[in-house]
Amino acid sequence: MPQSTNKTMDRINRSNTESEVYGLELFRGKVDSTIELNGFLEELNRKRVDVCRLKVNANDKNAFAYLTELGVPYQLYNMLYTNYVEISALPDEAFVWPVEYSFRPFIPEEKELMSAMTKATIDKKTWVNYNSDLVKDRMTEERELAASQEYACSFYSEDGSKASWIISFEGADIGYFMGEESEDGLNGTFYGILPEHRSKAHSKVIYMMILSVCRDKGYRFFKNDIGVMNIPSQKSASSQRMVPTDIYFHFELYPFLSGKWGKEVIPEGRVVRSVSNIGSTKAGGLKTNFIAVNNDKVTLEVVKFSDETGGVKRIEYFTYR
């Protein structure tokens, strides 16, 4: 497959909130199969990545072959539409909403309110994530919710390059939306409506408000990602003339390179350096260990324990150079 010659550009960045909440080194980034393999592996190793969430365009027909060639355990995490609209192409009525609605900028003093609203909306989420047994005991639903709350409450900057807004209907707070500047446009990053206010056509009005913010700030476009399984949100976006332009895969890679968890003894009496204390030695548990490390090769051992006896059922090895 084609490969680029750029080996120095960083492709992934640490997600500070998720890393702190999950207790592991979690990074996010966007890649394609033209990125040189050794350079990307070097970056994973240099940054001591435990879990990496990668956004990959579904049109990249070499994506799965590329990830397999990396030699790092991975799986599909979720799938997304990217929706896009040019602000100048919208008619005036796209920016006008009923007088019963209003919105205000989120300020840090409202952190408690934003945290509560995020918890309520995420608990009832309508998108689908495919979770892995490799990280299920560390990246739990409770921690995922806590990470989302921390993320929402920190989505604020003095220069306005990233901001959140709280939406009200007839004086009651019903939801929120967030966006971040990207070139000459706004990327929608997160929005939600409280469960008791859903199915009441509020989503359409939220989009009108977002588009109004874009026009007032002089942005050329607005775009956002919506889970492929989240049909109601996609309908709302389409109703405001937003058009799906791409579909993206979100993959999770599991290098487990930070080495935070010290040494442990696994069945068979062999002492290894445990890279991640995932699961336990009880029935049905998983444990992941480095068993070989040298200058150009890392071997990862994943031990599956039997549901019936608690003994070793299967040992799988993953090696990359």
Side-chain angles (χ1 to χ4, degrees):
M1 68 185 66
Q3 294 183 344
S4 74
T5 58
N6 186 350
K7 298 184 180 182
T8 60
M9 181 183 295
D10 284 354
R11 301 290 180 175
I12 57 174
N13 294 296
R14 186 178 190 265
S15 173
N16 294 327
T17 297
E18 291 173 305
S19 295
E20 296 303 319
V21 170
Y22 295 135
L24 46 73
E25 292 299 304
L26 190 146
F27 283 67
R28 289 178 175 267
K30 184 177 178 181
V31 301
D32 59 62
S33 60
T34 66
I35 295 172
E36 197 267 333
L37 279 169
N38 288 336
F40 186 43
L41 284 171
E42 185 278 332
E43 184 177 357
L44 291 172
N45 184 67
R46 170 167 48 87
K47 294 182 174 180
R48 315 306 294 163
V49 178
D50 290 320
V51 177
C52 183
R53 287 181 171 171
L54 291 180
K55 187 177 180 180
V56 181
N57 195 303
N59 286 325
D60 186 349
K61 63 182 180 180
N62 294 316
F64 285 91
Y66 178 83
L67 292 175
T68 299
E69 194 172 350
L70 278 175
V72 179
Y74 75 91
Q75 75 166 41
L76 182 67
Y77 175 64
N78 62 25
M79 295 177 288
L80 305 167
Y81 288 114
T82 291
N83 291 274
Y84 179 94
V85 66
E86 290 274 348
I87 303 303
S88 62
L90 295 171
D92 290 340
E93 56 264 29
F95 309 99
V96 180
W97 56 85
V99 296
E100 293 87 357
Y101 291 89
S102 63
F103 67 98
R104 66 185 185 275
F106 165 72
I107 57 176
E109 287 76 14
E110 292 185 298
K111 181 177 180 179
E112 187 174 335
L113 170 64
M114 180 63 79
S115 179
M117 288 201 299
T118 304
K119 180 178 181 179
T121 54
I122 296 295
D123 272 344
K124 304 292 183 181
K125 63 185 180 183
T126 54
W127 61 84
V128 176
N129 295 334
Y130 303 103
N131 297 318
S132 170
D133 280 348
L134 288 174
V135 290
K136 67 179 181 180
D137 290 332
R138 190 168 286 271
M139 297 173 68
T140 63
E141 288 188 6
E142 292 77 12
R143 288 178 177 174
E144 184 177 6
L145 176 58
S148 296
Q149 290 175 272
E150 287 293 323
Y151 174 82
C153 292
S154 65
F155 208 83
Y156 170 86
S157 65
E158 292 289 345
D159 63 3
S161 60
K162 64 177 184 178
S164 307
W165 295 266
I166 295 174
I167 304 131
S168 299
F169 175 68
E170 295 182 340
D173 296 330
I174 64 169
Y176 55 88
F177 65 89
M178 305 174 188
E180 186 168 12
E181 287 183 356
S182 174
E183 299 173 348
D184 55 346
L186 184 70
N187 286 341
T189 56
F190 207 18
Y191 91 93
I193 299 175
L194 296 172
E196 61 269 27
H197 293 284
R198 291 179 182 167
S199 301
K200 298 178 181 179
H202 295 315
S203 290
K204 178 179 179 179
V205 177
I206 290 176
Y207 274 103
M208 291 178 175
M209 293 176 170
I210 296 172
L211 297 175
S212 177
V213 168
C214 290
R215 185 176 67 171
D216 292 346
K217 288 181 172 288
Y219 295 135
R220 181 174 61 85
F221 66 84
F222 172 68
K223 64 180 180 179
N224 71 340
D225 291 337
I226 295 176
V228 168
M229 308 300 180
N230 194 345
I231 304 300
S233 288
Q234 184 56 47
K235 286 182 176 179
S236 296
S238 297
S239 73
Q240 298 308 299
R241 301 172 178 82
M242 296 197 71
V243 178
T245 57
D246 292 286
I247 295 178
Y248 284 92
F249 294 130
H250 258 169
F251 291 106
E252 275 189 348
L253 277 64
Y254 308 106
F256 300 125
L257 291 172
S258 74
K260 290 181 176 180
W261 295 281
K263 291 184 178 180
E264 293 187 80
V265 178
I266 64 170
E268 302 179 330
R270 186 154 49 91
V271 179
V272 296
R273 182 158 65 90
S274 177
V275 177
S276 183
N277 186 19
I278 297 170
S280 66
T281 56
K282 66 182 180 180
L286 286 168
K287 191 177 294 295
T288 304
N289 306 286
F290 274 134
I291 60 171
V293 183
N294 58 39
N295 290 334
D296 65 350
K297 184 173 67 175
V298 175
T299 301
L300 187 71
E301 178 185 71
V302 178
V303 183
K304 170 71 177 178
F305 298 96
S306 169
D307 293 330
E308 291 76 28
T309 66
V312 174
K313 179 180 180 182
R314 183 175 73 253
I315 301 179
E316 297 179 358
Y317 298 92
F318 306 90
T319 302
Y320 70 81
R321 293 182 181 272

